[in-house]
Amino acid sequence: NSELLNDRIFAKTRIRYAYQHYLKADDNWRNHHEDENVGNIGVQLDTFLSDQWYLTGQGFAAATGNAGAYMTGLLGLGYQFNISKNLFLSSEVLLGAAGGGGLRMGSGSVIQANFGGGIRLSDELDVLLQLGRLSAFDGPFTADVTGVSFQHALAW
């Protein structure tokens, strides 16, 4: 029954308001301002498939670092493991597209992997700190990523 499936998939959904900071991991990562890191603001939407596994869609745009019109959109799979009632670990693998702002993305196809830890502040609000790596498939762009997000449960 598709109605039952939709009710189950979207029963646990959250939105994350996020900041990610790209740190140069390859000397040829940008066409200009090569020694300047890039700060990005974005939104991430997650829907849980089980208590641990979730699908995620993420969009970011450059806010600092002279990266002009840089934007990225990613889709992926995440896993969240509860250590205790208020602490958890999270990992994600994402694929998507990115470009603009003088970042050397080649065709624009990218892959990103993140790992982090979070604190549950309430039933509806978490804070997540992440470390990761973003790389272009066929361009010289590679960056180490640090991030923070505030996660708000939309349906739980």
Side-chain angles (χ1 to χ4, degrees):
N1 186 338
S2 65
E3 186 176 312
L4 180 62
L5 182 62
N6 285 340
D7 289 345
R8 182 168 179 250
I9 288 177
F10 295 105
K12 289 179 68 175
T13 302
R14 69 181 176 203
I15 190 167
R16 294 188 269 167
Y17 306 99
Y19 174 82
Q20 288 187 349
H21 199 77
Y22 294 173
L23 305 159
K24 175 174 72 171
D26 185 292
D27 286 338
N28 295 316
W29 77 311
R30 298 186 68 172
N31 291 328
H32 56 78
H33 298 90
E34 294 85 6
D35 293 325
E36 198 166 339
N37 295 321
V38 178
N40 303 282
I41 55 172
V43 176
Q44 302 160 302
L45 185 64
D46 306 329
T47 187
F48 279 78
L49 304 173
S50 70
D51 287 340
Q52 291 87 22
W53 292 99
Y54 60 92
L55 295 175
T56 183
Q58 308 182 2
F60 285 88
T64 64
N66 287 304
Y70 171 76
M71 297 184 87
T72 184
L74 303 163
L75 296 172
L77 184 64
Y79 184 82
Q80 182 170 300
F81 175 77
N82 293 323
I83 297 171
S84 69
K85 182 181 177 210
N86 295 319
L87 297 174
F88 60 91
L89 297 175
S90 177
S91 61
E92 300 171 338
V93 176
L94 307 131
L95 298 171
L103 279 67
R104 301 183 70 195
M105 295 293 178
S107 68
S109 297
V110 294
I111 185 168
Q112 183 170 340
N114 299 318
F115 179 77
I119 300 170
R120 189 158 291 110
L121 303 176
S122 71
D123 288 342
E124 292 87 25
L125 187 63
D126 302 333
V127 175
L128 175 64
L129 301 174
Q130 288 184 312
L131 298 174
R133 169 73 56 109
L134 175 65
S135 298
F137 278 107
D138 63 352
F141 181 89
T142 302
D144 293 320
V145 179
T146 60
V148 61
S149 63
F150 293 92
Q151 305 177 154
H152 183 262
L154 297 176
W156 219 255

